[in-house]
């Protein structure tokens, strides 16, 4: 179990549209 | 070679370990190539969501923020991709709506936020994320779920739309009452078209098919209620709009047929335990239009009764129905111009839009009420049919 005193680190998230852009290079690579 | 000794379930921590280079294979096998009609039929509802969450838990456990981010991004983008490709297939859209919602619920249930932990067992609380707060990702996934919901509604509408006018207005099931056709009106459908005509039963069967698919996919009951309400809204709006545009639909006997059809839709709701989902209320304008076709339309008292009865119809709609009203036999009369004037005068002070037709594209805002699962992550096993042997139960 996780020690309750230690705060979790907030992971900043891109928006849905930004995520799609991040994926473009990956899609281009795939056949 | 290591000897593979089966472990007891209580030894598992409800996580799935995977190598970074297997991430693409994971989303490919679990999201992009999974056929809801094939392998997925026998899975426990929401299994893809649980598997993805258990992988995420492991990435969180090893404190690898990059692994957490890329898994979430790949998951979201793969779901979007499959919906782009098969967005017109109700089963695919329903399957991913149910799984996206389950994934969102898991992110809440195991977030460590006390508000979401109330129903957790002690073991489930031990399975909360250790290192990262994914509140922002939860928002993105909720946005994704809204997009999928809207796609589901569009998909369902495309299937229902061609059935509505035929099944709700044209097809007559109560011959005894509506045997007499309004004078001077020809039947719109030819005998050839009749064979392919949809009936109310076609609509009811389709509603049952949508419902059973969503249940099979483990869609949250609260979400099913919202889908059904939206379905009924579309049925009511399309039917009313056609009634308002067709003289041959504005007769006493059509009023009778519509009321019968509405009662069958209500019966369907009762049968599915959905009487309180607000679906019936969306039919109110149609119900009132059907009543308007059947009430007396002559005296001042009749006018008063109509005005107090038709609260869900706009003045434009009431007047239109009265203008289109066509007697079915010699005992009835057309509605007099004077009577319509009386109605217009009585309704003059109503504050409303001058709208005649209903907006059939309107979509009620959707919500995804938190729905924690009692399933213990450590008991989840992955069927071989999913081709995920590269994941290790931890």
């Amino acid at each position: 179990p996780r020690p309750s005193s230690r705060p979790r680190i907030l992971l900043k998230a891109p928006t849905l549209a930004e995520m799609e852009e991040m994926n473009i290079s990956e899609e281009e690579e795939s056949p | 070679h290591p000897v593979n000794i089966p472990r007891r379930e209580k030894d598992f921590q409800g996580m799935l370990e995977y190598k970074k280079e297997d991430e693409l294979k994971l989303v490919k096998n679990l999201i992009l190539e999974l056929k809801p009609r094939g392998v997925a039929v026998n899975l426990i509802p929401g299994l893809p969501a649980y598997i993805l969450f258990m992988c995420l838990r492991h990435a969180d456990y090893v404190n690898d923020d990059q692994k957490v981010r890329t898994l979430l991004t790949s998951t979201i983008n793969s779901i979007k991709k499959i919906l782009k490709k098969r967005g017109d297939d109700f089963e695919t859209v329903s399957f991913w709506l149910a799984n996206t919602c389950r994934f969102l619920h898991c992110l809440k249930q195991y977030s460590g936020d006390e508000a979401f932990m109330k129903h957790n067992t002690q073991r489930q609380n031990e399975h909360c994320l250790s290192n990262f707060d994914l509140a922002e990702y939860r928002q993105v996934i909720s946005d994704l779920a809204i997009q999928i919901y809207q796609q589901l509604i569009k998909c369902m509408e495309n299937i229902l739309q061609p059935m509505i006018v035929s099944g709700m207005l044209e097809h007559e099931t109560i011959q005894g009452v509506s045997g007499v056709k309004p004078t001077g009106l020809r039947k719109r459908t030819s005998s050839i078209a009749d064979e392919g005509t949809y009936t109310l039963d076609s609509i009811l069967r389709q509603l049952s098919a949508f419902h059973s698919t969503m249940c099979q996919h483990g869609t949250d009951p609260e979400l099913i209620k919202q889908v059904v309400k939206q379905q009924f809204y579309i049925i009511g709006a399309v039917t009313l709009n056609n009634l308002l545009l067709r003289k041959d639909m504005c007769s006493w006997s059509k009023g009778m047929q519509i009321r019968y059809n509405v009662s069958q839709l209500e019966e369907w709701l009762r049968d599915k335990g959905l009487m309180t989902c607000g679906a019936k209320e969306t039919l109110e304008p149609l119900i009132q239009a059907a009543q308007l076709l059947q009430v007396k339309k002559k005296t001042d008292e009749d006018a008063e009764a109509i005005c107090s009865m038709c609260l869900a119809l706009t003045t434009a709609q009431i007047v239109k129905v009265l203008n289109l009203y066509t007697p079915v036999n010699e005992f009835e009369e057309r509605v007099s111009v004077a009577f319509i004037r009386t109605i217009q005068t009585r309704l003059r002070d109503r504050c409303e839009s001058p709208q005649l037709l209903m907006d059939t594209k309107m979509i009620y805002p959707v919500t995804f009420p938190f729905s924690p699962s009692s399933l213990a992550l450590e008991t989840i096993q992955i069927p071989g049919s999913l081709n995920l042997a590269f994941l290790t139960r931890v």
Side-chain angles (χ1 to χ4, degrees), chain B residues 3-54:
Chain B
V3 182
N4 193 7
I5 303 167
R7 292 164 68 182
R8 285 174 305 174
E9 260 167 20
K10 67 171 190 178
D11 296 334
F12 289 113
Q13 297 174 67
M15 289 188 271
L16 290 167
E17 186 176 3
Y18 67 99
K19 295 191 194 83
K20 268 182 191 169
E21 55 269 31
D22 284 338
E23 185 196 275
L24 276 177
K25 205 157 62 175
L26 169 65
V27 294
K28 182 168 164 272
N29 294 1
L30 192 57
I31 302 175
L32 297 170
E33 292 184 353
L34 186 65
K35 304 273 186 290
R37 225 170 285 186
V39 169
V41 172
N42 299 316
L43 302 182
I44 57 163
L47 184 64
Y50 290 116
I51 293 176
L52 288 162
F53 183 69
M54 286 159 76

Side-chain angles (χ1 to χ4, degrees), chain B residues 244-295:
Chain B
L244 291 168
L245 295 172
R246 283 174 62 174
K247 199 177 169 198
D248 57 333
M249 294 303 150
C250 290
S251 63
W252 186 89
S253 58
K254 276 297 169 193
M256 187 72 167
Q257 180 67 54
I258 294 166
R259 291 175 73 175
Y260 172 76
N261 291 347
V262 166
S263 75
Q264 295 301 293
L265 287 168
E266 277 179 47
E267 191 55 39
W268 184 89
L269 287 174
R270 201 169 294 122
D271 182 49
K272 302 284 182 258
L274 292 164
M275 278 302 273
T276 57
C277 74
K280 195 198 154 207
E281 289 72 11
T282 68
L283 297 178
E284 202 50 41
L286 178 64
I287 294 169
Q288 289 179 11
Q291 286 169 336
L292 183 54
L293 292 173
Q294 295 204 293
V295 293

Side-chain angles (χ1 to χ4, degrees), chain A residues 1-2 6-17 19-20 22-23 26-27 30, chain B residues 24 68-69 76-77 80-81 84 111-112 129-134 136-137 140 144 147:
Chain A
R2 165 185 188 281
R6 190 160 55 95
R8 295 170 179 83
I9 299 161
L10 177 74
L11 288 196
K12 300 295 268 177
T15 63
L16 266 184
M19 268 191 194
E20 203 157 355
M22 286 158 61
N23 207 33
E26 182 194 299
E27 280 182 28
S30 60
Chain B
L24 276 177
V68 169
R69 282 179 219 272
I76 292 166
N77 284 335
K80 286 184 76 170
K81 207 171 184 177
K84 215 172 200 173
S111 62
L129 297 172
S130 308
N131 294 303
F132 303 112
D133 174 349
L134 301 178
E136 287 199 7
Y137 278 93
V140 179
L144 174 67
Q147 278 189 7

Side-chain angles (χ1 to χ4, degrees), chain B residues 7-236:
Chain B
R7 292 164 68 182
R8 285 174 305 174
E9 260 167 20
K10 67 171 190 178
D11 296 334
F12 289 113
Q13 297 174 67
M15 289 188 271
L16 290 167
E17 186 176 3
Y18 67 99
K19 295 191 194 83
K20 268 182 191 169
E21 55 269 31
D22 284 338
E23 185 196 275
L24 276 177
K25 205 157 62 175
L26 169 65
V27 294
K28 182 168 164 272
N29 294 1
L30 192 57
I31 302 175
L32 297 170
E33 292 184 353
L34 186 65
K35 304 273 186 290
R37 225 170 285 186
V39 169
V41 172
N42 299 316
L43 302 182
I44 57 163
L47 184 64
Y50 290 116
I51 293 176
L52 288 162
F53 183 69
M54 286 159 76
C55 291
L56 189 73
R57 274 198 65 219
H58 192 268
D60 167 80
Y61 175 73
V62 296
N63 204 4
D64 188 338
D65 66 319
Q66 203 46 41
K67 205 175 177 187
V68 169
R69 282 179 219 272
T70 64
L71 178 61
L72 284 166
T73 305
S74 298
T75 298
I76 292 166
N77 284 335
S78 300
I79 294 173
K80 286 184 76 170
K81 207 171 184 177
I82 193 69
L83 290 169
K84 215 172 200 173
K85 197 172 154 196
R86 290 216 291 271
D88 54 353
D89 176 47
F90 184 85
E91 282 191 79
T92 301
V93 184
S94 162
F95 183 80
W96 284 108
L97 178 61
N99 276 284
T100 303
C101 287
R102 179 46 58 204
F103 191 60
L104 179 62
H105 297 324
C106 283
L107 285 171
K108 289 179 178 171
Q109 184 173 1
Y110 296 101
S111 62
D113 183 337
E114 278 179 22
F116 298 123
M117 292 164 70
K118 286 178 194 151
H119 302 283
N120 283 359
T121 61
Q122 198 189 334
R123 194 81 208 269
Q124 283 179 320
N125 280 339
E126 287 166 13
H127 290 166
C128 284
L129 297 172
S130 308
N131 294 303
F132 303 112
D133 174 349
L134 301 178
E136 287 199 7
Y137 278 93
R138 289 206 303 264
Q139 186 54 52
V140 179
I141 289 161
S142 173
D143 292 346
L144 174 67
I146 292 172
Q147 278 189 7
I148 306 174
Y149 177 80
Q150 288 169 344
Q151 195 161 353
L152 183 90
I153 298 302
K154 269 186 217 145
C155 186
M156 176 204 86
E157 199 185 331
N158 289 340
I159 298 168
L160 272 183
Q161 186 88 27
M163 302 180 171
I164 299 174
V165 175
S166 176
M168 289 293 292
L169 284 177
E170 292 174 342
H171 185 78
E172 295 183 352
T173 47
I174 39 176
Q175 290 297 338
V177 182
S178 53
V180 190
K181 292 268 170 285
T183 45
L185 295 170
R186 278 184 303 140
K187 249 185 119 186
R188 282 171 64 104
T189 47
S190 70
S191 54
I192 301 161
D194 273 355
E195 287 189 14
T197 299
Y198 293 110
T199 65
L200 181 69
D201 266 350
S202 326
I203 296 177
L204 294 172
R205 274 199 304 271
Q206 189 57 58
L207 291 179
S208 294
F210 287 143
H211 186 261
S212 98
T213 301
M214 290 188 291
C215 290
Q216 236 176 51
H217 293 160
T219 311
D220 295 316
E222 287 305 313
L223 188 52
I224 293 183
K225 286 182 187 172
Q226 297 178 66
V227 174
V228 171
K229 181 181 173 185
Q230 185 67 42
Q231 287 170 340
F232 272 57
Y233 173 81
I234 293 167
I235 293 173

